[in-house]
Amino acid sequence: VPDYLRGRVMAAFSQVAMGMMPVGTLIVGVLARAIGVSHAILIGTSLAALIGGYLFIILRNHPLKMPAE
């Protein structure tokens, strides 16, 4: 990321990360009420691990290309 855009990129990243947190807690809360807390946490961590593994494999095989400065 070019230096002149670094602050804007970090602001956008923080906005998305903090903005999605209430959505995730709502989903896990509804799931916990329906099937129990331990099962809801197990499902949430399993999904996070699967998505993380998928992204790791995809990005390892197709690295992001950064433009030359």
Side-chain angles (χ1 to χ4, degrees):
V1 175
D3 286 340
Y4 67 93
L5 290 177
R6 188 167 292 146
R8 291 179 183 166
V9 169
M10 285 304 299
F13 174 77
S14 298
Q15 183 82 18
V16 169
M18 294 296 160
M20 291 305 292
M21 211 174 298
V23 176
T25 55
L26 177 66
I27 293 169
V28 171
V30 169
L31 196 59
R33 183 176 286 249
I35 64 171
V37 174
S38 59
H39 288 102
I41 292 173
L42 178 65
I43 290 171
T45 54
S46 298
L47 283 173
L50 287 172
I51 292 169
Y54 174 75
L55 290 175
F56 175 76
I57 291 169
I58 293 298
L59 293 176
R60 185 184 61 187
N61 293 334
H62 304 287
L64 300 175
K65 304 243 186 322
M66 298 300 289
E69 290 186 38

